[in-house]
Amino acid sequence: MTAVEQKSAGAWRGVDLGTRTVSYDERDAILYALAVGAKATDLDLVMEDRLRVLPTFALTLAQWAPDELGQRGAFDMKTALHGSQELKVLAPLPRSGEVTLEASVGEVWDKGAAAVFEVKVECEYFVATWSLFAPGAGGFGGERGPSKPPAPEGEANVTAQLETAFNVAALYRLTGDRHHIHIDPAAAAGIGQPRPIMHGLCTLAASTLPLAKELGVHPADLTELQGRFAAPVFPGDTAELKAWGDASGLSFELVREGKSAISGGYAVFAK
């Protein structure tokens, strides 16, 4: 019997995943900024003397929580997919220090052939929620949960290009997620991909930089972010960002080769 069979997916709802104190310094925050597309000229993102920490750096600090749920046997870590991500910023992250994070399982939705687990991580600086799609864990009689939001209507009023470096995944994995599919061609082939793919969280975070530039705001002023991972992006790709709204509430989509890579995107920047 697998761990999923031993315990119904629905029984994980509300489970405490523990508390962890994570430390980091300016070097970690700068490496992260470079990994998601900051340039050497973005001095307040890459120079310690005037550093502003990108809010999405929080997601690297909290990555242990969804991993913890998988390690406890809630789902098969080899087949589970990161479906979507949410981030709400409560206060700016300091340049360095320690952050105490509390994690728990939120809702567990029954999609029939699969379950969707929500993992919530909270601290004084942010609330982050992972949605993890687990094939084979559904059918436990739970609620299906919300359907995906409808696509925005009309022409986008904001457009931008997301240009990714060929070494972006190699850099980003040094921030904590070292899964082989992001660096090893053989591992990528094992999931049906022609070459290593970008991390979904890297793609989502990287999208906020050209959006912020187009809106005339600073990427470190991000206060809310969400997006669904619809298809992979590959290191070296250039993808198109289409957005509707303004800095106070911006719906967006990332399109690669005519297909959505990130759907249901939403971002808010403080003015």
Side-chain angles (χ1 to χ4, degrees), residues 14-86:
V15 168
D16 184 356
L17 296 176
T19 299
R20 188 173 298 189
T21 298
V22 181
S23 61
Y24 65 94
D25 59 21
E26 290 95 338
R27 179 184 178 279
D28 299 315
I30 291 170
L31 174 62
Y32 175 81
L34 291 169
V36 299
K39 309 301 182 186
T41 51
D42 298 327
L43 295 185
D44 56 359
L45 295 179
V46 301
M47 183 179 179
E48 56 276 8
D49 292 350
R50 59 184 77 176
L51 182 64
R52 298 187 66 189
V53 180
L54 287 171
T56 48
F57 176 61
L59 301 175
T60 70
L61 303 178
Q63 181 60 51
W64 62 270
D67 293 343
E68 173 70 16
L69 180 60
Q71 290 164 4
R72 291 194 188 187
F75 49 80
D76 186 343
M77 296 181 69
K78 294 180 180 179
T79 59
L81 300 172
H82 190 175
S84 66
Q85 183 69 45
E86 295 183 10

Side-chain angles (χ1 to χ4, degrees), residues 112-131:
V116 174
F117 294 84
E118 291 185 350
V119 175
K120 180 177 288 188
V121 182
E122 302 178 81
C123 70
E124 61 184 302
Y125 300 106
F126 62 87
V127 178
T129 304
W130 277 252
S131 289

Side-chain angles (χ1 to χ4, degrees), residues 79-116:
T79 59
L81 300 172
H82 190 175
S84 66
Q85 183 69 45
E86 295 183 10
L87 175 67
K88 292 186 178 180
V89 179
L90 306 179
L93 284 166
R95 296 180 180 181
S96 63
E98 292 186 343
V99 181
T100 299
L101 307 170
E102 298 179 356
S104 61
V105 182
E107 294 293 339
V108 181
W109 305 113
D110 188 350
K111 300 296 185 180
V116 174

